[in-house]
């Protein structure tokens, strides 16, 4: 049993180390995206001064400006919403930020990194299912906003489900919420099974985050390169003058290439880091109910099912595992209270339906 406990601790430590690395990359990304946005704003200003610019380029420039403004507004929203959570939590005691960023550390730079990581602005293409409030929630969940605890016993309201559908899946958040409940199981077999499940979750999340680190590093390198290209482009465009009609054909051609550069650079601001997106969403759940020709349960229970789907993604369970995990979650008063449901509402059928929906997703 001690070996299994050691395996669980090792898995949790690996996931924690990987999440801390991701956090450092996100903060680095925030500083670089700030510089990228400054260069994009400056080149936009230079383009705005050009008279008679091609009618084909003008709508593109206008759309890119709108996307960047949306991104800036979302950065501000993430920061403001997290401050609200901090204030809300102040009356509940300790604040648990499971992924390693302290509350006081959140500022514009971190918010910019989160905004870029979770793709909070629309680019006009179906790159991610996350946008607006959903993406803000993912960012807040990553910061640990959904795992605020008081004295190790209380969990702040409906914020819990935000964390449970965040980019770590249910993993760390659920372990924090009900992991201590393992010791209350009298049967050694049940304890062993729970530890095995949580070990698998920790190992899965560690692998997932390592892949996300590669993706983040690639984004960081690309942003650095394109920021330099934009800086050079600004100097060049300023030398063209402000009258499009008096520019040479070569200069007009280069303007078009710079608009394309602005387009690709703007996408680097708003395209999500795919490795940190939730693995199971409301869309997946709705697809299952449509396929099964059934009406889904209440919105509240659907939110719980999405959270469970993220926990169970790529985790193999036998019938006994399912029962043990269901009882562990159902028997945790903090979870039930935070999810704002009654214990009797969280039936085993909810658990099994989630697994069925996951199976359908895996087949598609």
């Amino acid at each position: 049993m001690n070996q299994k406990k050691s395996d669980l601790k090792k898995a949790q430590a690996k996931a924690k180390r990987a999440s801390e690395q991701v956090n450092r990359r996100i903060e680095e990304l925030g500083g670089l995206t700030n510089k990228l946005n400054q260069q994009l704003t400056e080149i936009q200003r230079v383009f705005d001064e050009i008279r008679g610019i091609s009618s084909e380029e003008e709508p593109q420039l206008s759309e890119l400006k709108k996307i960047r403004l949306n991104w800036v507004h979302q950065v501000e929203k993430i920061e403001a919403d997290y401050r609200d959570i901090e204030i809300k939590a102040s009356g509940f005691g300790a604040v648990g930020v499971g992924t390693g960023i302290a509350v006081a550390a959140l500022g514009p730079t971190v918010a910019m990194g989160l905004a870029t990581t979770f793709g909070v602005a629309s680019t006009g293409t179906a790159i991610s299912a996350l946008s607006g409030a959903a993406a803000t929630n993912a960012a807040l969940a990553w910061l640990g906003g959904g795992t605020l605890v008081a004295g190790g016993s209380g969990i702040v309201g409906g914020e819990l489900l935000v964390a449970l559908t965040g980019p770590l899946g249910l993993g760390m958040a659920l372990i924090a919420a009900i992991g201590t409940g393992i010791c209350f199981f009298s049967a050694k077999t049940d304890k062993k099974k729970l530890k095995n499940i949580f070990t698998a979750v920790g190992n899965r999340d560690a692998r997932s985050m390592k892949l996300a680190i590669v993706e983040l590093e690639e984004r960081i390198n690309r942003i650095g390169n394109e920021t330099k290209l934009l800086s050079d482009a600004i100097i060049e465009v300023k030398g063209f003058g402000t009258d499009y009609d008096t520019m040479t054909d070569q200069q007009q051609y280069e303007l078009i290439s710079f608009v394309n550069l602005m387009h690709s650079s703007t996408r680097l601001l708003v395209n999500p880091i795919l490795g940190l997106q939730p693995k199971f969403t409301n869309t997946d759940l709705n697809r299952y109910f449509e396929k099964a020709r059934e009406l889904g349960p209440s919105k509240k229970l659907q939110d719980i099912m999405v959270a469970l789907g993220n926990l169970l993604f790529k985790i193999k369970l036998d019938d006994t595992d399912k029962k043990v995990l269901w009882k562990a979650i159902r028997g945790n008063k903090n979870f039930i209270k935070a999810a704002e449901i009654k214990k009797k509402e969280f039936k085993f059928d909810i658990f099994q339906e989630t697994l069925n929906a996951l199976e359908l997703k895996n087949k598609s």
Side-chain angles (χ1 to χ4, degrees), residues 73-128:
H73 291 156
Q74 196 68 52
V75 169
E76 294 169 350
K77 178 170 172 51
I78 289 171
E79 187 180 4
D81 285 355
Y82 194 65
R83 292 302 180 195
D84 287 345
I85 289 177
E86 182 186 1
I87 292 169
K88 182 194 292 186
S90 64
F92 289 84
V95 178
V97 182
T99 54
I101 294 181
V103 172
L106 182 65
T109 297
V110 176
M112 284 174 178
L114 289 164
T116 299
T117 298
F118 299 111
V120 295
S122 170
T123 60
T125 56
I127 295 171
S128 169

Side-chain angles (χ1 to χ4, degrees), residues 46 230-241 250-251 254 258:
V46 174
L230 284 167
S231 179
D232 294 340
I234 290 168
I235 295 171
E236 199 166 344
V237 175
K238 284 180 177 179
F240 292 172
Q250 178 63 26
Q251 288 173 333
E254 287 190 50
F258 293 149

